[in-house]
Amino acid sequence: MKRKLILFLTACSIIFSVALINQRKASAASWDAKSLYTTPKQTRGTWYYKKNGKIKKLRITAHTFDKVKLYKMLSNKQTRKWTKKLAKADQESGFKLAKKVGTSQYEADDFKFHKSAGFTINGWLSSDNADSGHTYVTVKKKYKGSKIKTLRVRNGAVNAFLYYCYRTKKLARDCKIVCVRMNDSLN
């Protein structure tokens, strides 16, 4: 009897695990997102910046930006197809769906700035408007006579510098360049 119980519990565990894995795969590919985007190694980590006199934090991992998954951009043809579907579904939901889709997953692409690797983030299904998001790239800035690594953030739509992010709260507090303009929906 004990052996049958152990066998039954093991079988239930396996079935539950398989179901959980399949559920994660299904949710990861929403709105035709297929491939995770991998951020450049030098941009990963926890960064701090100053906004309205307060220190804010953002976290970049290999496949996420502030806990939101990053996916490779779809082709323009695929984007147009899914945008039409989204527009129809959004209208049926009382125009509440598009914002949720745009912020539930981001599309990302590679970006270079003075030979330094970075990436651009847009809300999902923004490929036709690929330069409307925000760009994150590491640069060296002078601080008290030495150079430190910072994360330069710019707004893609107008190619405007927004702010620098630093590795520590102290640097974010001490550095003179603070958030210039924050009209972004990503932070």
Side-chain angles (χ1 to χ4, degrees):
M1 182 69 183
K2 207 175 198 183
R3 187 174 180 192
K4 285 184 180 180
L5 180 62
I6 291 172
L7 190 59
F8 174 74
L9 291 175
T10 304
C12 287
S13 301
I14 291 170
I15 291 169
F16 178 73
S17 298
V18 169
L20 187 63
I21 289 168
N22 286 337
Q23 180 185 11
R24 284 187 180 167
K25 284 182 182 177
S27 65
S30 62
W31 296 96
D32 215 26
K34 292 184 175 89
S35 302
L36 284 172
Y37 175 79
T38 303
T39 60
K41 285 184 182 178
Q42 61 267 30
T43 62
R44 296 178 198 164
T46 303
W47 297 90
Y48 300 92
Y49 62 97
K50 199 183 292 187
K51 177 183 174 187
N52 299 330
K54 294 182 180 177
I55 302 298
K56 303 285 185 168
K57 176 172 83 168
L58 68 91
R59 176 111 171 97
I60 301 170
T61 66
H63 304 293
T64 64
F65 179 88
D66 274 346
K67 299 181 183 177
V68 178
K69 289 226 176 182
L70 300 173
Y71 292 94
K72 292 181 181 176
M73 289 182 171
L74 299 177
S75 70
N76 285 341
K77 184 178 178 181
Q78 288 174 307
T79 299
R80 281 190 292 278
K81 174 185 135 187
W82 281 101
T83 301
K84 285 178 185 176
K85 284 185 179 185
L86 176 61
K88 184 178 179 185
D90 193 35
Q91 189 173 14
E92 291 168 0
S93 73
F95 300 100
K96 295 177 184 172
L97 184 61
K99 184 175 182 180
K100 182 180 176 186
V101 169
T103 57
S104 64
Q105 61 194 40
Y106 298 144
E107 56 186 13
D109 201 15
D110 295 327
F111 177 79
K112 286 244 186 223
F113 180 76
H114 297 288
K115 299 181 184 178
S116 190
F119 63 98
T120 299
I121 295 178
N122 293 302
W124 190 247
L125 299 176
S126 301
S127 292
D128 281 342
N129 216 0
D131 202 31
S132 64
H134 290 82
T135 302
Y136 301 85
V137 63
T138 55
V139 295
K140 298 273 184 176
K141 297 300 296 173
K142 269 197 164 187
Y143 175 74
K144 294 186 178 180
S146 62
K147 291 198 174 200
I148 58 169
K149 187 190 289 190
T150 62
L151 188 69
R152 182 181 190 271
V153 182
R154 75 171 183 98
N155 181 333
V158 292
N159 195 19
F161 166 79
L162 292 176
Y163 54 94
Y164 289 109
C165 298
Y166 303 90
R167 289 290 187 182
T168 66
K169 289 180 183 180
K170 182 185 181 326
L171 282 172
R173 203 174 303 116
D174 291 349
C175 289
K176 301 222 186 297
I177 298 176
V178 297
C179 183
V180 178
R181 187 181 67 193
M182 283 296 292
N183 295 353
D184 62 75
S185 60
L186 297 178
N187 289 337

